């Protein structure tokens, strides 16, 4: 079902970003199933109705999280997702990004456009000051996306996150509001 431009929180030339809804479950899980080979071993988005409901519920209801769908403006198709997790307010004003593209949208620049929109929304209406990305060193696509959107490499953390049955090393990338203007 096409989405109207009025549903977008921010728009670029080809994509708009909007929050997750429970009604997105069928499309999201179908795209996750189609993209399993692309995502493994980096991430595991929900691919069943029950898993999606739990996942979307956390993004919708938890104030320390904000989930965004990157949607193609021409037909409203979900190209990918970008979540801001671990949002800390007060003196920190920071969040940690996690994201994934779906197979049909790979290599088209849609996620770069979407990530720039999310960064603008985070530093604008959400009033955050800093965003961080933790990417496994071998995940060259994720690192290329971070770099292309102006994130800087800040460090390396061995055995940082437990993913796919093991503790994984991660590079730490970040951007602050001062770096965008």
């Amino acid at each position: 079902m096409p989405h109207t431009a009025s549903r977008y929180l921010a728009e670029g030339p080809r994509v708009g970003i909007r929050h997750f809804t429970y009604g997105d479950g069928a499309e999201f899980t179908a795209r996750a199933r189609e993209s399993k080979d692309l995502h493994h071993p980096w991430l595991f988005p929900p691919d069943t109705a029950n898993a999606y409901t739990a996942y979307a519920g956390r993004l919708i209801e938890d104030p320390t999280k904000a989930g965004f769908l990157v949607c193609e403006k021409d037909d409203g198709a979900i190209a990918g997702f970008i979540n801001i997790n671990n949002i800390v307010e007060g003196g920190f004003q920071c969040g940690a990004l996690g994201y994934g593209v779906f197979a049909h949208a790979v290599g088209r620049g849609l996620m770069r456009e979407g990530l720039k929109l999310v960064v603008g929304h985070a530093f604008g209406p959400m009033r955050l000051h800093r965003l961080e990305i933790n990417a496994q060193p071998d995940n060259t696509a994720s690192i290329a996306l971070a770099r292309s959107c102006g994130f800087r490499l800040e460090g390396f953390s061995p055995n940082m996150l437990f993913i796919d049955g093991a503790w994984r090393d991660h590079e730490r990338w970040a951007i602050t509001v001062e770096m965008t203007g």
Side-chain angles (χ1 to χ4, degrees), residues 2-31:
H3 305 289
T4 62
S6 64
R7 294 188 63 190
Y8 297 124
L9 299 165
E11 294 181 58
R14 296 178 300 150
V15 302
I17 58 167
R18 64 180 179 80
H19 288 296
F20 278 71
T21 70
Y22 290 108
D24 294 311
E27 181 182 0
F28 189 98
T29 56
R31 297 213 182 272

Side-chain angles (χ1 to χ4, degrees), residues 145-176:
L145 178 60
R147 184 180 286 120
S148 75
C149 290
F151 286 73
R152 68 178 171 224
L153 179 62
E154 290 192 334
F156 178 81
S157 295
N159 299 320
M160 181 179 182
L161 293 172
F162 193 78
I163 299 172
D164 196 28
W167 288 99
R168 308 288 179 179
D169 298 344
H170 281 73
E171 290 183 3
R172 296 187 324 275
W173 293 78
I175 192 169
T176 63

Side-chain angles (χ1 to χ4, degrees), residues 1-8 10-18 24 27 31 34-35 68-82 100-115 117:
M1 172 167 85
H3 305 289
T4 62
S6 64
R7 294 188 63 190
Y8 297 124
E11 294 181 58
R14 296 178 300 150
V15 302
I17 58 167
R18 64 180 179 80
D24 294 311
E27 181 182 0
R31 297 213 182 272
E34 293 166 1
S35 305
F68 302 92
L69 295 173
V70 177
C71 301
E72 297 181 63
K73 284 175 46 179
D74 61 350
D75 62 3
I78 300 172
F81 56 96
I82 302 168
V101 64
F102 290 123
H104 76 282
V106 169
R108 296 173 46 205
L110 302 177
M111 287 300 289
R112 180 174 24 263
E113 189 176 320
L115 182 54
L117 293 172

